[in-house]
Amino acid sequence: MDLDEGARTTRRRGAELEAAILDAAWDVLTERGYARLTIEAVAERAQTSRPVLYRRWPTRADLLRAAIEHHRAQHVTAVPDTGSLRGDVLAALRDLNRHRADVVIVLGTALSDYYAETGSSPEELRRLILGNRRTMDTILERAAARGELDPARLSPMIRTLPFTLHRHELLMTLRPASDAFLVTVVDEVFLPLATGR
């Protein structure tokens, strides 16, 4: 059975078909890297035809960006609100570690050909992955309202430090960080700098 016939047999349309394609694109990307993310490979994995993909995403760079956005949308979580700065930052790091570690690793290891092909950088895709989420801003605003810290102490570097250190650990080990690492980042690095205690 050829792919066109298979696509007709499954009769997926609209959002269902698009989700299947984007899931397939994400799987191909994480397994093979961007160099082997081809329209043909994704069509085969999604059990559809190449023209179906080309109608939606004219280039594989377009397909990659759509797959990243789709993956992000499947893993949206609320900003933690544990009642303490320490609890909120740890919860946010643990959530990132559980649900987005694979994305960070892919950004750092599998996309060198994408960056060369498009002239972009990991920062551009990082913004795409994170979207408009301002998790740390919300956490810090709540902590300031509770009197746990003085916002004037927080330089841009300190504000993002837990996530920067986490991202570094992911890229150095190519696996999710240990919980002991996350606790150390919060207790021994971030909180002393953010609160002065």
Side-chain angles (χ1 to χ4, degrees):
M1 178 168 63
D2 68 25
L3 293 179
D4 288 324
E5 184 182 338
R8 287 193 298 271
T9 302
T10 59
R11 297 180 185 205
R12 295 170 300 171
R13 301 207 191 301
E16 180 187 1
L17 175 59
E18 190 164 303
I21 294 168
L22 294 175
D23 287 340
W26 182 257
D27 291 343
V28 171
L29 175 66
T30 56
E31 291 170 14
R32 304 180 192 177
Y34 184 72
R36 295 175 68 189
L37 177 74
T38 64
I39 298 297
E40 293 78 9
V42 173
E44 182 178 345
R45 177 71 64 99
Q47 298 181 331
T48 190
S49 66
R50 289 176 293 174
V52 169
L53 273 74
Y54 281 119
R55 280 195 294 273
R56 291 167 168 80
W57 306 283
T59 69
R60 68 181 184 148
D62 295 328
L63 178 60
L64 169 77
R65 288 188 290 270
I68 289 173
E69 287 185 291
H70 175 72
H71 186 76
R72 179 192 59 168
Q74 292 177 310
H75 299 94
V76 173
T77 56
V79 177
D81 190 4
T82 67
S84 75
L85 175 61
R86 179 182 187 275
D88 288 352
V89 175
L90 265 175
L93 284 171
R94 286 170 175 153
D95 176 66
L96 177 64
N97 205 44
R98 261 191 315 273
H99 301 296
R100 302 252 174 112
D102 60 338
V103 179
V104 174
I105 292 167
V106 166
L107 280 181
T109 61
L111 296 178
S112 59
D113 290 330
Y114 169 83
Y115 303 134
E117 182 179 298
T118 62
S120 64
S121 70
E123 181 61 26
E124 178 243 335
L125 289 183
R126 182 175 171 271
R127 284 193 301 269
L128 181 65
I129 289 167
L130 296 178
N132 294 320
R133 283 178 37 137
R134 298 282 181 227
T135 298
M136 198 60 168
D137 290 342
T138 302
I139 288 171
L140 294 173
E141 287 165 11
R142 290 174 181 165
R146 290 189 300 261
E148 291 184 82
L149 58 78
D150 175 5
R153 290 184 56 90
L154 303 176
S155 68
M157 184 175 287
I158 292 173
R159 295 177 80 89
T160 61
L161 189 59
F163 299 98
T164 300
L165 293 174
H166 180 244
R167 186 167 55 251
H168 180 267
E169 179 73 0
L170 294 175
L171 293 176
M172 291 299 101
T173 65
L174 300 181
R175 62 178 179 267
S178 70
D179 199 63
F181 174 84
L182 301 180
V183 170
T184 298
V185 164
V186 173
D187 289 348
E188 298 180 21
V189 182
F190 174 69
L191 287 177
L193 290 171
T195 67
R197 295 192 290 274

